[in-house]
Amino acid sequence: MDIAEAARRSGLPASTLRFYETKGLIAPVGRRGLRRVFGPDVLERLALVTLGRAAGFSLDEIAVMFAADGRPRIDRQRLAAKARELDRRIRRLVAMRDGLEHAVVCPARSHFECPTFRRILGAAAAGTLGPRTLEAARRTPKPAPPARRSKAKVARRAGAR
Amino acid sequence: MDIAEAARRSGLPASTLRFYETKGLIAPVGRRGLRRVFGPDVLERLALVTLGRAAGFSLDEIAVMFAADGRPRIDRQRLAAKARELDRRIRRLVAMRDGLEHAVVCPARSHFECPTFRRILGAAAAGTLGPRTLEAARRTPKPAPPARRSKAKVARRAGAR
DNA sequence: GTGCCACTTCAAGTGAACTTCAAGTCAAGG
DNA sequence: CCTTGACTTGAAGTTCACTTGAAGTGGCAC
């Protein structure tokens, strides 16, 4: 199977397949000249990647999962953790959705006069459903840059969380 | 209120407030010298922005909502649409979460031998919960680049969706 | 044999939402 | 008055997941 066919059968652009290869997510079984030759398993692999992404894993996280050896050997702890994370996210989204649905039918002249609206607004302000909180909670907590400035902190987001 | 206080009270870094100002999301009531002076309403405004973000609106979308005049005047159609979008997203995430939770306790020797796992894997492959499908569906559908190559299409993601 | 064009590589660009940096300003406390 | 350090600006950098472009190679149909 050449890259075009793998692309067609996986539904992913060839450029993505090449990109995934550089990331170590997939690998051709060989080359025909310069051209990549993929085995059939690449499709399962790609499905797994897609699945992982849908579950909120980053490509790097996915790479780690089935790096080293060949087969996935996904650890259950990680899955469980991600399930819990998803669950939290779902709860927040449900709250949001309900809030929005209420806002749609809310009779209050201004949204600001509606207690429900004010409640979710408060939650937003409180960081309960903050911006950064929303999308897959910080995958890379950033290895703490040496902290050059000792005193004057640029800005703190203290209050939140 | 200076920018530091607005930052502290909103829980957002000052840099974000400046950024939001360039985006037209907030505006200082004036300046004391070079320094911005914010009115108290900025906090409500910021809460609204945070809320909008949490609901999945982009900053640009939010800007449009309360641009022009002062007050929000959020249209209900838009809210309803976003609520439906959230709902779809929630369903997908719930499916994912359930799949993950199953995988955690699944007795099958390999995840691949588990029908439930294979099912969500299939769904992933089918694009039902594809990568691009996951996060807030393409805000900017991209104005269709003139399509220079008439015949050979670089790669199509045809099957998906 | 030969020419086309699907492939190849590597670098750079995209977009969203910010953050960080360097260099400069200036309000206020001492 | 002078220093301090919190503010200012604009540009550039960051992250993630890709896409796009330019320039080059070579498999395969003819």
Side-chain angles (χ1 to χ4, degrees), chain A residues 1 3 5 13 19 34 51 53 73 79 84 92 96 99 108-109 127 138 140 142:
Chain A
M1 177 170 18
I3 202 172
E5 190 179 347
F19 174 68
L34 274 187
L51 179 63
R53 291 264 308 119
R73 191 64 225 137
L79 293 187
R84 283 194 300 276
R92 270 184 279 113
M96 278 302 322
R109 286 189 307 291
R138 231 76 216 98
T140 323
K142 201 175 258 184

Side-chain angles (χ1 to χ4, degrees), chain A residues 76-94:
Chain A
R76 288 160 201 272
Q77 296 215 334
R78 196 177 288 269
L79 293 187
K82 193 56 84 168
R84 283 194 300 276
E85 191 184 313
L86 273 181
D87 200 60
R88 282 193 300 278
R89 195 145 141 209
I90 288 166
R91 280 181 213 292
R92 270 184 279 113
L93 290 181
V94 165

Side-chain angles (χ1 to χ4, degrees), chain A residues 11 44 48 50-51 53-55 72 76 80 83 86-87 89 96-97 103-104 106 112 121 124 129 131 134-135 157, chain B residues 11 13 44 48 50-51 53-55 72 76 80 83 87 89 93 96-97 103-104 106 112 118 121 124 129 134-135 157:
Chain A
E44 189 169 65
L48 222 36
T50 301
L51 179 63
R53 291 264 308 119
R76 288 160 201 272
L86 273 181
D87 200 60
R89 195 145 141 209
M96 278 302 322
R97 182 201 55 192
V104 171
C106 181
F112 289 110
L121 200 59
L129 22 81
L134 179 64
E135 306 299 336
R157 33 180 50 184
Chain B
E44 189 168 66
L48 222 35
T50 301
L51 179 63
R53 292 263 310 120
R76 289 161 200 270
D87 201 59
R89 194 145 142 209
L93 290 181
M96 277 302 323
R97 181 201 56 193
V104 172
C106 181
F112 288 109
R118 295 203 68 87
L121 199 58
L129 20 81
L134 180 62
E135 305 300 336
R157 29 180 54 186

Side-chain angles (χ1 to χ4, degrees), chain B residues 114-136:
Chain B
C114 163
T116 299
F117 191 77
R118 295 203 68 87
R119 191 175 52 69
I120 57 175
L121 199 58
T128 309
L129 20 81
R132 276 325 196 174
T133 317
L134 180 62
E135 305 300 336

Side-chain angles (χ1 to χ4, degrees), chain B:
Chain B
M1 174 171 18
D2 71 344
I3 202 173
E5 190 179 349
R8 188 176 49 71
R9 303 222 291 181
S10 67
L12 296 166
S15 65
T16 300
L17 302 193
R18 284 187 211 104
F19 174 66
Y20 280 1
E21 188 188 340
T22 70
K23 281 258 162 186
L25 290 165
I26 57 173
V29 291
R31 296 264 178 158
R32 182 188 300 279
L34 274 188
R35 309 185 174 194
R36 290 165 181 78
V37 175
F38 291 102
D41 355 359
V42 81
L43 296 177
E44 189 168 66
R45 194 87 163 196
L46 286 170
L48 222 35
V49 171
T50 301
L51 179 63
R53 292 263 310 120
F57 291 98
S58 74
L59 293 183
D60 286 349
E61 284 175 313
I62 297 168
V64 168
M65 283 188 201
F66 47 44
D69 71 322
R71 218 120 20 271
R73 190 62 226 139
I74 302 157
D75 80 46
R76 289 161 200 270
Q77 296 216 332
R78 194 178 289 268
L79 293 186
K82 194 56 86 171
R84 284 194 301 276
E85 190 184 313
L86 272 182
D87 201 59
R88 284 193 298 279
R89 194 145 142 209
I90 288 166
R91 281 181 212 292
R92 270 186 279 112
L93 290 181
V94 164
M96 277 302 323
R97 181 201 56 193
D98 292 349
L100 284 183
E101 278 171 355
H102 172 79
V104 172
V105 300
C106 181
R109 288 189 305 291
S110 160
H111 290 308
F112 288 109
E113 291 165 30
C114 163
T116 299
F117 191 77
R118 295 203 68 87
R119 191 175 52 69
I120 57 175
L121 199 58
T128 309
L129 20 81
R132 276 325 196 174
T133 317
L134 180 62
E135 305 300 336
R138 232 76 216 100
R139 321 187 182 289
T140 322
K142 204 175 255 183
R148 0 207 294 80
R149 214 77 61 81
S150 55
K151 207 165 37 165
K153 37 240 1 142
V154 175
R156 83 247 73 156
R157 29 180 54 186
R161 298 217 64 89

Side-chain angles (χ1 to χ4, degrees), chain A residues 16-146:
Chain A
T16 299
L17 302 192
R18 284 187 210 104
F19 174 68
Y20 279 2
E21 189 189 340
T22 70
K23 281 259 163 184
L25 290 165
I26 58 174
V29 290
R31 294 267 179 156
R32 183 188 299 277
L34 274 187
R35 306 182 177 196
R36 291 166 180 80
V37 176
F38 291 103
D41 356 357
V42 79
L43 297 177
E44 189 169 65
R45 194 88 160 194
L46 286 170
L48 222 36
V49 172
T50 301
L51 179 63
R53 291 264 308 119
F57 291 99
S58 73
L59 292 183
D60 286 348
E61 284 175 313
I62 296 168
V64 169
M65 285 187 197
F66 48 42
D69 71 322
R71 216 118 22 268
R73 191 64 225 137
I74 303 156
D75 80 44
R76 288 160 201 272
Q77 296 215 334
R78 196 177 288 269
L79 293 187
K82 193 56 84 168
R84 283 194 300 276
E85 191 184 313
L86 273 181
D87 200 60
R88 282 193 300 278
R89 195 145 141 209
I90 288 166
R91 280 181 213 292
R92 270 184 279 113
L93 290 181
V94 165
M96 278 302 322
R97 182 201 55 192
D98 293 348
L100 285 183
E101 279 172 355
H102 172 79
V104 171
V105 300
C106 181
R109 286 189 307 291
S110 160
H111 290 309
F112 289 110
E113 290 166 29
C114 162
T116 298
F117 190 79
R118 294 204 68 89
R119 190 175 52 70
I120 58 175
L121 200 59
T128 309
L129 22 81
R132 276 326 195 176
T133 317
L134 179 64
E135 306 299 336
R138 231 76 216 98
R139 322 186 181 289
T140 323
K142 201 175 258 184

